[in-house]
């Protein structure tokens, strides 16, 4: 079954891209639930195994053979990160619309049709999901809130729009996003550069069915750095302001010392000197760190660091297998 959208014909109406990492215990139930859906134009599933250390690859290969809907399996040669895995999946998606979702069943599959229909009937390029209650650990909720606050400051996005990994994108948006070949993709940042035809809907959010979140504090910090340094020069401007501020403080301190000397007082000694020296040194190292991050990422991009390396692709069988 095909779907015509914006004057173009697509082999399938909806593609579901799922990055898989330590998802052996849950991805089967997810595929089963998604296979039962009947969206307008039909459905396909794209599983991207992002170097998972468990037996997710074996589980996904078995699903590719037994699935009742077209299912493509892609395996990365190593772990590249969630956004890199999603980018690989988007390049293999064939739908008029593409939904990305996690493999942990926290995004309920029954919300997929509602998300897809909202984007399709409303003619939106991107529809995000938001949650009345998030079933994450407290530190993860704080991290997500901080990431969205950073995005508000750095990106050209509607204020308050919650950026979630459970999102629906039009084929137009996907075709522009996948043009990015750098090693540090941030999908939401790329989407904000493509379109402002955005919306969001509220959906349910469940607790993890198995295990714990694959997002550690280190991964979240890396995500924030991708957002801050790949899609904005604001950190560099803040570094300039910090340097200018320290320069003004230095002039004020120099004037204070001169006034003390003219009034016959002994200028303040070691303690004040060390305080100012340490403060200036700290700001200088901060500025150097920001500059180094930009330079390092530029160097890695110019040096050809891959966004993702695909080891294996098992293409979908369009006819599926009869249930």
């Amino acid at each position: 079954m095909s779907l015509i959208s914006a004057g173009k014909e697509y082999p399938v109406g909806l593609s579901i891209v799922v990055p898989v990492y330590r998802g052996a215990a849950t991805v089967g139930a997810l595929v089963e639930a998604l296979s039962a859906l009947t969206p307008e134009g039909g459905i396909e599933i794209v599983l991207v195994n992002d170097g998972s250390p468990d037996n997710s690859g074996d589980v996904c290969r078995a699903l590719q053979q037994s699935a009742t809907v077209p299912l493509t399996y892609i395996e990365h040669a190593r772990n590249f990160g969630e956004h890199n895995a999603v980018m690989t999946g988007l390049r293999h998606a064939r739908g008029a619309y593409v939904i990305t979702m996690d493999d942990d069943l926290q995004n309920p599959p029954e919300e997929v049709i509602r998300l897809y229909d909202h984007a399709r009937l409303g003619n939106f390029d991107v529809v995000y999901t938001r949650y009345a209650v998030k079933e994450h650990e407290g530190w993860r909720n704080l991290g997500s809130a901080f990431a969205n606050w950073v995005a508000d400051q750095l990106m050209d996005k509607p204020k308050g729009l919650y950026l979630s990994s459970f999102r629906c994108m039009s084929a137009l948006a996907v075709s522009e996003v996948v043009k990015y070949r750098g090693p540090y993709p941030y999908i939401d940042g790329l989407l904000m550069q493509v379109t402002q035809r955005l919306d969001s809907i509220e959906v349910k959010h469940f607790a993890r069915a198995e295990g714990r979140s694959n997002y550690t504090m280190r991964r979240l910090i890396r995500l924030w750095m991708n957002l801050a340094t790949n899609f904005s020069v604001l950190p560099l401007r803040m570094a300039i302001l910090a340097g200018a501020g320290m320069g003004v403080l230095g002039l004020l301190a120099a004037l204070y010392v001169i006034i003390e000397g003219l009034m016959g007082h002994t200028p303040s000694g070691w303690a004040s000197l060390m305080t100012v020296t340490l403060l200036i040194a700290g700001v200088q190292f901060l500025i150097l760190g920001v500059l180094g991050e930009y330079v390092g990422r530029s160097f890695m991009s110019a040096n050809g660091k891959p966004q993702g390396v695909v080891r294996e692709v098992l293409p979908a069988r369009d006819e599926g297998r009869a249930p």
Side-chain angles (χ1 to χ4, degrees):
M1 184 186 300
S2 61
L3 181 73
I4 297 177
S5 177
K8 296 182 180 180
E9 184 173 356
Y10 295 90
V12 66
L14 177 63
S15 299
I16 309 289
V17 173
V18 183
V20 179
Y21 188 79
R22 297 185 187 274
T26 56
V27 68
L30 175 63
V31 168
E32 181 180 0
L34 292 175
S35 300
L37 302 178
T38 55
E40 179 73 20
I43 189 173
E44 70 167 359
I45 302 171
V46 180
L47 302 179
V48 184
N49 177 14
D50 190 34
S52 183
D54 63 4
N55 66 327
S56 293
D58 295 333
V59 173
C60 291
R61 289 186 192 91
L63 290 170
Q64 194 273 340
Q65 292 297 312
S66 62
T68 58
V69 299
L71 189 152
T72 298
Y73 170 67
I74 308 163
E75 182 174 306
H76 271 176
R78 50 153 291 191
N79 177 249
F80 286 90
E82 178 187 358
H83 285 248
N84 301 60
V86 171
M87 289 289 282
T88 296
L90 293 180
R91 292 191 174 98
H92 288 80
R94 303 173 298 162
Y97 286 84
V98 181
I99 286 179
T100 61
M101 62 191 305
D102 297 335
D103 63 356
D104 53 16
L105 296 175
Q106 289 193 272
N107 303 135
E110 57 266 26
E111 300 280 18
V112 163
I113 297 293
R114 192 161 69 90
L115 178 58
Y116 169 54
D117 285 344
H118 188 85
R120 179 173 59 89
L121 300 177
N123 199 27
F124 293 107
D125 287 320
V126 186
V127 177
Y128 286 97
T129 56
R130 61 183 187 274
Y131 313 111
V133 179
K134 290 187 68 178
E135 298 294 341
H136 283 315
E137 297 178 31
W139 70 268
R140 174 72 186 281
N141 288 335
L142 287 174
S144 297
F146 178 73
N148 272 274
W149 178 83
V150 171
D152 280 338
Q153 311 310 310
L154 300 181
M155 293 195 317
D156 182 22
K157 83 175 184 70
K159 296 294 183 183
L161 178 69
Y162 180 76
L163 304 179
S164 69
S165 59
F166 187 25
R167 59 175 93 78
C168 183
M169 298 169 282
S170 68
L172 169 66
V174 170
S175 66
E176 292 299 315
V177 165
V178 298
K179 291 178 181 177
Y180 176 79
R181 295 288 177 172
Y184 304 106
Y186 184 74
I187 291 170
D188 300 311
L190 294 168
L191 287 170
M192 297 303 127
Q193 294 178 345
V194 170
T195 182
Q196 283 289 284
R197 192 175 288 181
L198 313 168
D199 202 15
S200 68
I201 63 172
E202 186 173 296
V203 299
K204 299 175 184 176
H205 192 255
F206 297 151
R208 286 182 66 91
E210 294 281 345
R212 60 182 182 180
S213 175
N214 292 316
Y215 259 103
T216 62
M217 185 57 69
R218 179 181 177 185
R219 287 174 181 264
L220 283 174
I221 292 174
R222 189 182 302 168
L223 186 63
W224 299 335
M225 294 300 294
N226 282 353
L227 167 59
T229 58
N230 279 20
F231 298 96
S232 175
V233 294
L234 183 59
L236 291 175
R237 291 172 180 165
M238 292 175 65
I240 293 172
L241 292 175
M246 291 309 301
V248 171
L249 287 177
L251 287 174
L252 293 176
L255 287 174
Y256 178 75
V257 170
I258 292 171
I259 292 172
E260 275 190 315
L262 292 175
M263 294 178 64
H265 300 296
T266 302
S268 302
W270 185 86
S272 59
L273 177 62
M274 289 302 297
T275 299
V276 172
T277 301
L278 291 173
L279 185 59
I280 292 175
V283 173
Q284 287 177 332
F285 278 115
L286 175 63
I287 294 172
L288 286 173
V290 172
L291 290 172
E293 186 68 27
Y294 276 93
V295 172
R297 286 171 177 265
S298 298
F299 171 76
M300 297 300 289
S301 298
N303 206 33
K305 181 178 179 179
Q307 187 180 101
V309 177
V310 175
R311 181 189 302 278
E312 177 184 9
V313 178
L314 298 180
R317 296 172 296 112
D318 287 338
E319 74 280 2
R321 177 171 292 186

